[in-house]
Amino acid sequence: MIDLKLLERDFENIASKLKTKGVKEEDLKEIKKLFEEKKEIQTVFEKYQAKRNSLSKEIGLLMREGKKDEAETIKTKVNDIKVKIEELNEKLKKIEEKLNQKALSIPNIPDSDVPVGKDEDDNVEIKRVGEIPVFDFEVKSHDELGEELNWLDFKAGVKLAKSRFTVLKSEAARLERALINFFLEHNRSYGFEEVYVPFLVNSQTMTATGQLPKFKDDLFKIEDEDLYLIPTAEVPLTNLFRDEIIADLNEPVKLTAYTPCFRKEAGSYGKDTKGIIRQHQFDKVELVAITKPEDSDKMFDEMVECASNALEKLGLAYRQLMLCTGDLGFSAAKTIDLEVWIPSQNRYREISSVSNTRDFQARRGKIRYKDGKKNRLVHTLNGSSLAVGRTLVAIMENYQTKDGKIKIPEVLQKYI
RNA sequence: GGAGAGAUGGCUGAGUGGUCGAAAGCGGCGGCCUUGAAAGCCGUUGAACUCGCAAGGGUUCCCAGGGUUCGAAUCCCUGUCUCUCCGCCA
């Protein structure tokens, strides 16, 4: 959630920054107004409560002394106040609910070094790494290769579930597992501690990291339960610290986890319908870090480096992209995407996304640390290292041979 | 799924209508003592919001949400979770 006090204090600035992310100024104006109204009502409300409390105390004392009549007089007085309190309470609750609902739907403020832009076409390439492979034969797409080699069974996925689910067979299944192991080990070498988490989480958890309330339609929900399938391990990993005050954050918290991820992919019908680029279920190894505010920039670079290096070890060509304001995710203040070369599409495709959310998630989830006597909000960061399914795609396509087979990258051989 | 018990501060745990944000112990922090440490002694030690330039106030929070009452950690209702036993199960 954005800082409402900051919004109140520095409205013009915040509004202009959020405008680049598609937030209407009138929505922010309304939030500011609600916030100010709320505080006003609250002040009056609390004054009445204070009055009630002190009078009630008096009644107690009078009763003890046996002065029943005097007590009765005060009682009628308190009764009048009670009516007022009830009234104000109702008003306050209504306004708080409205404010909360509105404020939770406002995305994070982009960092000032994030390029301003409308959509993905305005993202800025930072660098390209690795040689794009040249083939002296007609390259096949991963879905062609997958069917020919009996690695990917699209029909079986549809039979078991529905479209955008796929069954991996033989070498592909083993390669998937090898990649998970490889990434976890790789991340561990960067100091990220491996964690294993639930794949189902409750609505409070989803709210803290920003999936709820706004993106309900993208999530799979369990019927009759307050449980959702996670869209990324970022959700459980970050929420490990929800409502916590971390005593010592001199060393950042660094975690990594493998989980499957579940996404409805609402609004992406017709996109990437072939192959396994866009699935309802996919594997991902995630990085999450929690830092002091002053340490988050450094951690961000470290996470980009970690994910990039994994691609280099696999010998895959990729590029780094700084997302523009219009393409930035809801919770992110800044994001760098890694895109891997996909020969059959003759272009780079997203394989990792590293984001700094600053204190946006921390405020929602009340994740704080002790800074001397004070409790301060932490910064939270997350990034994929890496998306496993898309790495499988990249390996299949980049490592294909003329006779329609696929070589296994050297670093993976010990896992297979 | 069935039966029972429970949920209080960082932890253990007392508190059954008013003076309770809450005893006591442990832990943490500061000090005394000590060459240093331990022990011992003394002091201190929750969070959120809000008013105020500040000093300093106020409100809320004893699992959550309702209710009774002038007044609720304490009484009533609903829900959630935890533990124990049984059933089922990898």
Side-chain angles (χ1 to χ4, degrees):
Chain A
M1 190 155 79
I2 58 164
D3 185 348
L4 293 179
K5 280 187 207 163
L6 192 67
L7 183 74
E8 192 184 25
R9 207 169 346 108
D10 198 10
F11 184 84
E12 295 304 320
N13 183 26
I14 306 273
S16 78
K17 278 186 173 159
L18 279 173
K19 199 176 169 187
T20 67
K21 225 171 160 176
V23 179
K24 291 192 212 114
E25 181 168 326
E26 58 208 68
D27 286 339
L28 291 172
K29 266 203 180 123
E30 192 186 352
I31 287 171
K32 185 177 172 228
K33 205 178 124 224
L34 283 170
F35 182 56
E36 283 164 348
E37 238 175 284
K38 182 218 123 187
K39 290 202 295 189
E40 235 169 85
I41 295 170
Q42 186 180 348
T43 308
V44 182
F45 174 62
E46 288 180 356
K47 269 194 189 131
Y48 277 110
Q49 285 191 122
K51 188 88 187 177
R52 180 202 59 197
N53 289 347
S54 68
L55 286 178
S56 289
K57 226 167 237 183
E58 255 179 71
I59 291 171
L61 289 171
L62 289 170
M63 293 294 256
R64 187 145 341 118
E65 290 168 27
K67 295 177 184 167
K68 278 213 165 150
D69 293 351
E70 285 179 51
E72 285 303 322
T73 331
I74 299 180
K75 265 194 204 180
T76 53
K77 236 188 194 170
V78 178
N79 272 328
D80 289 346
I81 294 174
K82 255 177 84 175
V83 176
K84 202 84 191 156
I85 288 179
E86 210 124 306
E87 221 172 84
L88 287 165
N89 190 16
E90 208 117 306
K91 232 169 152 182
L92 192 62
K93 249 198 235 164
K94 237 183 234 165
I95 205 163
E96 268 178 343
E97 199 178 309
K98 204 166 160 192
L99 174 65
N100 210 24
Q101 179 230 320
K102 299 254 178 204
L104 283 175
S105 297
I106 300 296
N108 200 1
I109 302 160
D111 280 0
S112 41
D113 62 339
V114 170
V116 175
K118 221 173 92 222
D119 52 34
E120 58 183 15
D121 295 332
D122 296 324
N123 294 339
V124 175
E125 185 177 294
I126 299 170
K127 65 170 175 179
R128 297 185 180 208
V129 179
E131 292 281 317
I132 290 172
V134 186
F135 297 93
D136 57 359
F137 56 90
E138 186 88 16
V139 292
K140 291 177 179 165
S141 66
H142 76 280
D143 48 290
E144 289 175 84
L145 286 162
E147 280 189 308
E148 283 171 20
L149 294 166
N150 196 27
W151 278 25
L152 306 176
D153 192 336
F154 301 108
K155 287 215 174 79
V158 174
K159 181 167 96 176
L160 297 179
K162 62 185 259 183
S163 66
R164 291 191 196 269
F165 286 91
T166 303
V167 173
L168 303 190
K169 288 181 167 170
S170 65
E171 298 299 304
R174 292 173 62 211
L175 197 51
E176 181 89 358
R177 177 161 55 87
L179 282 168
I180 293 166
N181 283 331
F182 167 66
F183 291 144
L184 284 171
E185 285 299 321
H186 173 78
N187 296 340
R188 248 163 54 88
S189 77
Y190 274 78
F192 290 86
E193 188 195 344
E194 188 175 337
V195 181
Y196 180 86
V197 293
F199 302 158
L200 296 175
V201 300
N202 59 37
S203 53
Q204 231 189 323
T205 297
M206 284 293 190
T207 304
T209 27
Q211 283 71 27
L212 290 178
K214 216 181 164 188
F215 303 102
K216 206 169 104 218
D217 294 345
D218 295 329
L219 300 170
F220 285 103
K221 186 175 188 305
I222 304 297
E223 207 177 356
D224 298 328
E225 299 252 16
D226 181 32
L227 288 172
Y228 298 81
L229 286 162
I230 54 168
T232 160
E234 165 203 343
V235 174
L237 285 177
T238 308
N239 272 278
L240 242 22
F241 297 91
R242 176 158 51 81
D243 295 319
E244 298 286 333
I245 300 171
I246 301 166
D248 179 10
L249 199 55
N250 282 324
E251 284 303 313
V253 175
K254 295 162 73 179
L255 304 173
T256 185
Y258 152 73
T259 71
C261 302
F262 302 91
R263 298 184 183 178
K264 280 203 173 168
E265 297 290 351
S268 64
Y269 300 107
K271 271 189 202 164
D272 301 310
T273 46
K274 280 197 148 184
I276 58 167
I277 294 250
R278 194 178 299 273
Q279 298 276 287
H280 288 308
Q281 173 186 324
F282 61 93
D283 286 331
K284 187 152 63 72
V285 175
E286 184 79 355
L287 302 173
V288 159
I290 292 177
T291 73
K292 291 187 186 180
E294 59 266 33
D295 294 336
S296 70
D297 284 320
K298 199 176 142 229
M299 180 57 62
F300 183 74
D301 294 342
E302 192 182 323
M303 288 164 73
V304 172
E305 157 67 21
C306 175
S308 300
N309 191 237
L311 283 171
E312 284 165 41
K313 281 186 185 169
L314 288 168
L316 293 167
Y318 69 96
R319 62 171 185 167
Q320 291 184 358
L321 223 51
M322 168 87 84
L323 297 199
C324 72
T325 53
D327 202 27
L328 219 48
F330 180 77
S331 297
K334 180 178 183 169
T335 296
I336 286 182
D337 272 9
L338 302 187
E339 294 190 339
V340 71
W341 181 255
I342 301 296
S344 71
Q345 300 189 1
N346 203 36
R347 66 176 181 118
Y348 292 98
R349 294 298 309 259
E350 179 183 346
I351 195 164
S352 167
S353 192
V354 180
S355 297
N356 189 346
T357 80
R358 306 278 172 199
D359 61 12
F360 186 81
Q361 293 178 327
R363 184 170 295 105
R364 288 173 158 245
K366 294 192 178 60
I367 310 176
R368 292 153 295 168
Y369 75 101
K370 275 266 179 246
D371 184 26
K373 283 250 172 209
K374 280 243 179 236
N375 298 327
R376 287 173 68 198
L377 293 172
V378 302
H379 278 192
T380 63
L381 304 97
N382 62 80
S384 13
S385 177
L386 293 167
V388 180
R390 288 192 181 178
T391 309
L392 183 66
V393 170
I395 287 172
M396 287 174 75
E397 295 207 4
N398 282 282
Y399 281 88
Q400 63 181 297
T401 59
K402 198 170 185 171
D403 56 353
K405 297 212 165 112
I406 292 157
K407 285 189 292 188
I408 303 294
E410 210 172 11
V411 287
L412 292 179
Q413 286 181 5
K414 69 170 168 176
Y415 297 102
I416 273 208

